């Protein structure tokens, strides 16, 4: 439940920030008449996300066991790929997110009336589909479906409340620190989903090695015990993984975490150089101060 809550919270905050930037910019340029179209696009994104979740939940029941395992393993790997991309994308584009979205709005305003609808649908739909797919993959890995769904919904509701508070100036929230550390946490969650997906493919005989565990931790983590339930629900932990699952988990964590921490280090150095004391070259620009306040800070 905690893992799905965090997924819902993180993705919800990303979507909330995007919506807030789009709405604020349309108001700034005096095109509030386009807000209805934007909300239509956002509504389409929400409907598509719910549809994806419904298909993932009930669609596989008509398939054979082997087909279900192949589908589950494949979608788990796709979910890992999407959340990995999301972690790196937010880490590298967070500081320029506001500028990029405003450029997209400017381009959409000059096009057909449907461009704003499409912008809203694509901007928010990506977050929604990622949430649906990754929550499903986490639930399929052994988390209690009802609790996992409640966790995701609570996370999204929390994100909505925080996003509203930020837009109204009621909440001060270190978004950079939040996205940085949740990124690290989600690397380990995604590694567990990857291991689960590999296990599904092994059960379907797509990958060999099922039924031959690399080691057993059942003496420490008893199956069905509290620790097993907690670790399984958050990290898709299994006390008797196969060698393919162990290798996949280790390689993913080592490679992705190293790249992610390296990116954070380079970003921190670039920020330090950017804010280094410089000789004043003229009067302060008030517009620049307002501009910087709408962006996500790029360092923790």
């Amino acid at each position: 439940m905690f893992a799905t809550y965090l997924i819902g919270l993180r993705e919800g905050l990303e979507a909330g920030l995007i919506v807030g930037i789009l709405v604020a910019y349309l108001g700034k340029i005096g095109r509030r008449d386009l807000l209805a179209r934007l909300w239509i696009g956002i509504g389409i994104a929400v409907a598509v996300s719910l549809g994806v979740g419904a298909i993932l939940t009930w669609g596989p029941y008509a398939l054979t066991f082997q087909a279900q395992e192949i589908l589950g393993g494949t979608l788990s790997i796709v979910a890992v790929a999407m959340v990995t991309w999301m972690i790196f994308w937010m880490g590298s584009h967070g500081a320029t997110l506001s500028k990029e979205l405003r450029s997209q709005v400017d381009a959409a305003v000059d096009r057909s009336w449907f461009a704003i609808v499409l912008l809203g649908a694509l901007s928010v739909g990506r977050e929604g589909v990622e949430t649906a797919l990754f929550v499903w993959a986490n639930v399929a890995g052994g988390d209690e479906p009802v609790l996992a769904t409640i966790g995701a919904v609570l996370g999204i509701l929390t994100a909505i409340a925080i996003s509203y508070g930020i837009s109204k100036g009621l909440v001060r929230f270190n978004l950079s620190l939040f996205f940085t550390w949740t990124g690290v946490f989600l690397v380990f969650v995604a590694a567990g989903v990857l291991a689960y997906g590999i296990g599904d493919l092994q059960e379907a005989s797509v990958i060999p090695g099922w039924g031959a565990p690399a080691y057993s931790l059942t003496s420490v983590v008893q199956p069905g015990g509290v620790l097993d339930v907690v670790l399984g629900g958050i990290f898709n932990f299994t006390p008797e993984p196969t060698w393919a699952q162990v290798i996949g988990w280790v390689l993913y964590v080592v490679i992705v975490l190293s790249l992610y921490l390296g990116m954070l280090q380079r970003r921190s150095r670039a920020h330090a150089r950017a804010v280094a004391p410089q000789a004043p070259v003229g009067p302060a620009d008030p517009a620049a101060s307002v501009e910087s306040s709408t962006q996500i800070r790029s360092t923790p």
Side-chain angles (χ1 to χ4, degrees):
M1 180 175 178
F2 177 73
T4 56
Y5 174 84
L6 187 61
I7 294 167
L9 177 60
R10 181 186 170 99
E11 296 288 339
L13 271 177
E14 287 188 26
L17 289 171
I18 290 171
V19 171
I21 291 171
L22 293 174
V23 170
Y25 188 61
L26 285 176
K28 181 180 178 181
I29 64 176
R31 295 304 306 269
R32 298 186 67 84
D33 58 300
L34 298 177
L35 284 177
R37 300 179 190 177
L38 177 65
W39 286 113
I40 290 174
I42 293 171
I44 292 173
V46 173
V48 169
S49 302
L50 292 175
V52 170
I55 292 173
L56 291 174
T57 301
W58 292 292
Y61 286 107
L63 302 175
T64 64
F65 173 78
Q66 185 180 31
Q68 288 185 35
E69 296 301 291
I70 293 175
L71 179 63
T74 302
L75 289 179
S76 294
I77 294 173
V78 171
V80 171
M82 290 184 68
V83 79
T84 304
W85 176 83
M86 174 268 292
I87 292 170
F88 283 96
W89 184 89
M90 197 62 189
S92 60
H93 288 76
T96 59
L97 179 62
S98 179
K99 182 179 179 180
E100 292 178 7
L101 287 174
R102 291 197 305 276
S103 297
Q104 293 175 17
V105 170
D106 290 335
V109 167
D110 295 333
R111 297 174 187 169
S112 65
W113 69 271
F114 186 70
I116 290 292
V117 176
L118 186 62
L119 176 62
L122 293 178
S123 299
V124 178
R126 183 194 64 200
E127 312 297 337
V129 172
E130 284 178 0
T131 302
L133 186 56
F134 203 57
V135 167
W136 172 85
N138 193 272
V139 171
D143 205 355
E144 174 61 38
V146 175
L147 290 179
T149 302
I150 292 174
V153 171
L154 289 177
I156 293 172
L157 292 176
T158 304
I160 292 173
I162 293 174
S163 299
Y164 178 81
I166 291 175
S167 67
K168 297 299 182 181
L170 303 176
V171 176
R172 291 186 178 276
F173 196 72
N174 192 328
L175 291 169
S176 177
L177 188 63
F178 172 80
F179 284 119
T180 295
W181 288 109
T182 54
V184 173
F185 180 81
L186 286 179
V187 168
F188 290 95
V189 175
V193 173
L194 175 62
Y196 172 79
I198 291 173
D200 266 359
L201 294 177
Q202 287 185 298
E203 281 194 273
S205 299
V206 175
I207 298 176
W210 181 251
Y215 53 80
S216 177
L217 296 177
T218 54
S219 60
V220 179
V221 183
Q222 296 183 355
V226 175
L227 187 58
D228 181 46
V229 172
V230 172
L231 293 177
I234 297 176
F235 299 108
N236 278 276
F237 170 83
T238 175
E240 293 185 327
T242 65
W243 276 112
Q245 288 177 304
V246 172
I247 293 172
W249 190 95
V250 171
L251 286 178
Y252 179 85
V253 170
V254 170
I255 294 173
V256 174
L257 193 59
S258 297
L259 292 174
Y260 182 64
L261 294 178
M263 182 191 68
L264 294 180
Q265 187 177 38
R266 292 191 299 272
R267 195 180 67 180
S268 179
R269 290 174 180 172
H271 177 75
R273 289 194 298 268
V275 300
Q278 297 179 357
V281 295
D285 182 4
S289 299
V290 174
E291 170 70 16
S292 64
S293 67
T294 64
Q295 299 181 356
I296 303 172
R297 293 185 179 274
S298 60
T299 57

